[in-house]
Amino acid sequence: MSMKKILPLLPALFLVISASAMAQQTTIELKKTASCGCCSAWADRMQSSGFSVRRDDMTMGQLMQFKMKHGIRSNFACHTARIAGYTIEGHVPAREIRRLLSERPDAIGLSVPGMPLGSPGMDFGSDKEAFDVLLIRKDGSTTVYAKYSASN
């Protein structure tokens, strides 16, 4: 095939490759225990926010090994997820995951420690607690990435 025939096809090929990369980037790989209902509720919230979620049930021991392998050194929350090379620990809102993917900081990922009422997957009713989304740095330290008030 001559170069004259190939050149007009390059933009279409670029779009196909970009769409494929974007689809992979927005797929969340969720690791949780089978009995965790709030983890499933978080996955449902992520899907309704446009993410594709692959759910994988594990034993508690397997989950703890997965957490440690991906930079979670203490038990911040109940479930752990991976997206685009980042670790997402706990009930992190979709807005902050999108921000993470846009900003691409040199970090392990994000965490919402504990299971605060009103966070995605823990939004059963009208009660809400203020909570922070933490950026987990490569050295394991954290910094506040976003704050959510009890009135959000």
Side-chain angles (χ1 to χ4, degrees):
M1 188 175 267
S2 74
M3 213 43 174
K4 284 185 178 183
K5 290 181 180 179
I6 293 175
L7 283 177
L9 299 175
L10 288 179
L13 179 60
F14 177 74
L15 285 176
V16 168
I17 291 170
S18 295
S20 174
M22 186 59 115
Q24 288 176 347
Q25 184 179 25
T26 58
T27 298
I28 296 173
E29 179 185 345
L30 174 63
K31 306 295 186 177
K32 64 180 196 62
T33 59
S35 61
C36 188
C38 65
C39 300
S40 294
W42 179 82
D44 292 343
R45 301 301 181 280
M46 295 305 105
Q47 284 179 304
S48 68
S49 295
F51 291 101
S52 172
V53 180
R54 278 185 299 191
R55 303 169 197 223
D56 186 16
D57 290 340
M58 309 177 116
T59 66
M60 185 57 77
Q62 290 170 323
L63 182 58
M64 295 310 288
Q65 287 179 337
F66 183 83
K67 288 173 184 287
M68 291 178 64
K69 177 181 177 185
H70 294 290
I72 305 302
R73 298 291 177 234
S74 60
N75 191 10
F76 283 105
C78 54
H79 62 266
T80 303
R82 296 279 295 162
I83 183 168
Y86 289 106
T87 302
I88 307 298
E89 179 70 7
H91 296 269
V92 177
R95 178 173 72 189
E96 304 318 325
I97 295 171
R98 288 190 197 294
R99 178 179 162 207
L100 178 78
L101 296 176
S102 173
E103 293 178 355
R104 309 287 295 161
D106 185 27
I108 290 170
L110 299 175
S111 175
V112 170
M115 298 165 59
L117 289 176
S119 62
M122 292 299 296
D123 45 356
F124 308 113
S126 60
D127 291 339
K128 292 186 178 190
E129 298 174 310
F131 65 92
D132 293 337
V133 177
L134 303 179
L135 179 72
I136 307 169
R137 294 187 178 117
K138 296 261 175 138
D139 66 1
S141 66
T142 60
T143 187
V144 175
Y145 194 68
K147 289 185 162 291
Y148 284 77
S149 71
S151 62
N152 277 4

